[in-house]
């Protein structure tokens, strides 16, 4: 720097100051602001270098040039501080904006799952009978024709074999069917347990019925079976009355209407008086002694009753459902009424 005139030194400082001003003013983020400071005020900047070599100036120039240099440095520092404050504020605003939560946005709805009405009524029925000291028995859906028919007093050449439209399993010689009712579980129970027997047998059943408003090829039944000493039709009627009241309400009564099932003798249809009319609910009867004998039960000592209802039809009656498809097709608009499936 030595040897330069005061004017050229002042001009050099002015160039450094203007360049620094420009760089600091045009920095649009904190990153570029910091590097602008580094270039124009840092150790290697023109202004810093001039300050470092002040000592080599003529004695008469030291004071005035030192003063101009100091002013330029202070000016740039002030500019930096101001810009730093502005850009920090701008950065904070951007962060706040980017993290902003729009509390007016609609909620993301995650509908809660629920228990299907068929399962609910299945559990309800199990609770009713467990309360009476019954046990719940389950059997396979793929069943031997012998248990589904023969053991229930429906031999192959008996016309009753065609009462229920059956899905037979290939090869036909396998003698397997999709059970047409839950009654084979009665047989399984009597073959494996000694009386006294108090069971219900709930489960899915299958018939090659067309799907329409009152039929479905896959439906559910619950069967009741009691085998004990001195069991009579009065016990059956009393049990059905109690069951009907638990399901449909205290003022509901059941009636037995003579009917025919090969596995019960005598047999009856169970009707209930509900909402001002008689409605068919299921089948029942005293277990046919031939069935008890097939299962090795002493008919001189024991007698029994059995009954079987469709669960879909029970739900339909209780909840005034006019089309069975509403129950089996799983439409949430229907199942929601039973507490399933969120909003
Ligand atoms: C039986 O299946 C007898 N095993 C019931 C029984 C048990 C009688 C013990 C005596 C002693 P049924 O074929 O009527 O009977 O069927 C019983 C119930 O199953 C019917 O009342 C009905 O509610 C229901 N059901 C039958 N077929 C269908 C179907 N395709 N869709 C929906 N429900 C059906």
């Amino acid at each position: 720097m030595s040897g330069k005139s005061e004017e050229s030194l002042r001009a050099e400082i002015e160039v450094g100051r203007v360049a620094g001003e420009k760089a600091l003013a045009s920095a649009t983020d904190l990153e570029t602001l910091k590097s602008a400071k580094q270039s124009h005020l840092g150790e290697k900047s023109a202004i810093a270098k001039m300050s470092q070599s002040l000592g080599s100036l003529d004695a008469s120039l030291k004071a005035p040039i030192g003063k101009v240099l100091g002013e330029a440095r202070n000016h740039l520092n002030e500019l930096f501080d101001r810009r730093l404050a502005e850009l920090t504020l701008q950065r904070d605003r951007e962060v706040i904006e980017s993290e902003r939560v729009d509390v007016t946005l609609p909620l993301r709805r995650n509908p809660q799952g629920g228990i299907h009405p068929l399962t609910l009524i299945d559990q309800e029925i199990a609770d009713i009978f467990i309360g009476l000291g019954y046990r719940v028995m389950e059997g396979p859906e793929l069943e031997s024709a012998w248990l589904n028919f023969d053991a229930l007093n429906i031999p192959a050449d008996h016309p009753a074999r065609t009462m229920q439209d059956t899905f037979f399993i290939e090869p036909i010689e396998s003698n397997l069917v999709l059970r047409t009712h839950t009654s084979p579980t009665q047989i399984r129970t009597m073959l494996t347990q000694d009386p006294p027997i108090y069971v219900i047998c709930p489960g899915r059943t299958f018939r090659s019925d067309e799907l329409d408003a009152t039929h479905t090829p896959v439906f559910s039944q619950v069967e009741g079976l009691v085998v004990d000493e001195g069991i009579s039709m009065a016990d059956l009627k009393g049990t059905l009355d109690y069951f009907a009241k638990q399901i449909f309400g205290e003022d509901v009564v059941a009636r037995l209407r003579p009917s025919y099932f090969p596995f019960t003798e005598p047999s009856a249809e169970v009707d209930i008086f509900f909402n001002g009319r008689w409605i068919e609910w299921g089948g029942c009867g005293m277990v046919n002694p031939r069935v008890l004998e097939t299962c090795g039960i002493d008919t001189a000592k024991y007698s029994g009753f059995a009954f079987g209802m469709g669960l879909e039809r029970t739900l339909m009656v209780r909840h005034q459902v006019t089309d069975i498809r509403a129950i089996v097709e799983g439409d949430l608009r229907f199942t929601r009424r039973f507490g399933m499936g969120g909003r």
Side-chain angles (χ1 to χ4, degrees):
M1 211 159 66
S2 61
K4 289 185 183 166
S5 69
E6 184 174 345
E7 284 70 37
S8 72
L9 287 169
R10 281 181 182 273
E12 243 177 81
I13 295 167
E14 183 62 7
V15 167
R17 191 181 68 90
V18 170
E21 246 176 27
K22 217 168 154 186
L24 291 171
S26 65
T28 49
D29 57 52
L30 292 169
E31 206 59 38
T32 44
L33 181 69
K34 276 183 188 142
S35 70
K37 185 184 185 189
Q38 189 63 33
S39 324
H40 298 279
L41 282 164
E43 275 178 27
K44 289 179 184 150
S45 64
I47 286 180
K49 279 182 183 154
M50 288 173 81
S51 304
Q52 283 152 19
S53 47
L54 255 184
S56 61
L57 284 183
D58 282 356
S60 63
L61 290 177
K62 275 183 192 163
I65 293 302
K67 186 171 176 244
V68 178
L69 267 174
E71 280 168 3
R73 222 179 14 247
N74 287 345
H75 173 67
L76 290 181
N77 270 324
E78 268 167 32
L79 204 60
F80 171 80
D81 289 343
R82 214 168 39 240
R83 201 70 194 119
L84 180 68
E86 283 166 10
L87 290 177
T88 305
L89 189 68
Q90 178 185 314
R91 194 263 329 264
D92 290 350
R93 281 205 184 116
E94 281 166 8
V95 169
I96 288 167
E97 181 61 25
S98 71
E99 290 175 357
R100 192 163 68 103
V101 176
D102 184 351
V103 292
T104 66
L105 279 177
L107 283 178
R108 193 180 305 155
R109 297 186 193 280
N110 289 325
Q112 271 196 329
I115 300 174
H116 191 275
L118 266 180
T119 311
L120 286 174
I121 195 155
D122 183 52
Q123 292 172 348
E124 190 180 334
I125 292 171
D127 283 348
I128 292 168
F129 282 96
I130 287 168
L132 292 175
Y134 285 54
R135 292 169 63 187
V136 178
M137 284 292 290
E138 285 184 343
E141 293 172 358
L142 187 60
E143 188 56 282
S144 83
W146 187 80
L147 288 164
N148 194 81
F149 295 122
D150 301 70
L152 286 158
N153 197 32
I154 320 175
D157 57 358
H158 194 286
R161 196 91 162 199
T162 55
M163 276 171 77
Q164 302 170 350
D165 294 316
T166 309
F167 286 114
F168 295 94
I169 301 298
E170 287 186 322
I172 292 300
E173 308 79 65
S174 69
N175 278 318
L176 290 173
V177 296
L178 286 178
R179 66 177 175 194
T180 55
H181 49 177
T182 42
S183 305
T185 312
Q186 285 186 34
I187 304 296
R188 287 177 175 274
T189 308
M190 289 189 282
L191 286 173
T192 54
Q193 292 175 27
D194 292 327
I197 292 170
Y198 289 81
V199 293
I200 57 161
C201 316
R204 217 155 24 170
T205 47
F206 308 83
R207 290 185 199 176
S208 55
D209 292 334
E210 290 290 331
L211 182 63
D212 62 24
T214 52
H215 295 83
T216 148
V218 182
F219 57 103
S220 315
Q221 288 189 342
V222 63
E223 186 109 357
L225 171 71
V226 167
V227 182
D228 204 345
E229 290 179 42
I231 295 295
S232 75
M233 204 84 179
D235 299 307
L236 171 62
K237 177 66 166 53
T239 305
L240 288 170
D241 273 336
Y242 177 77
F243 183 21
K245 286 183 197 305
Q246 294 299 305
I247 291 291
F248 298 103
E250 271 309 307
D251 51 345
V252 165
V253 285
R255 85 173 170 196
L256 302 186
R257 191 161 38 85
S259 185
Y260 172 74
F261 295 102
F263 33 91
T264 45
E265 183 56 39
S267 304
E269 299 291 339
V270 191
D271 298 338
I272 51 155
F273 196 73
F274 187 66
N275 281 346
R277 61 194 177 107
W278 288 104
I279 297 168
E280 193 177 305
W281 188 27
C284 68
M286 297 304 293
V287 182
N288 191 322
R290 292 188 61 160
V291 174
L292 295 175
E293 277 159 17
T294 303
C295 298
I297 291 173
D298 180 0
T299 51
K301 191 171 176 196
Y302 296 108
S303 54
F305 68 70
F307 57 85
M309 281 82 193
L311 294 192
E312 290 80 2
R313 299 258 180 96
T314 304
L315 274 179
M316 285 173 82
V317 172
R318 190 169 72 174
H319 301 278
Q320 286 98 51
V321 178
T322 50
D323 194 325
I324 201 166
R325 287 168 287 204
I327 299 174
V328 298
E329 281 173 355
D331 188 330
L332 277 180
R333 283 169 298 184
F334 172 78
T335 47
R336 230 170 255 150
R337 280 172 46 199
F338 297 85
M340 177 192 176
R343 265 159 279 160

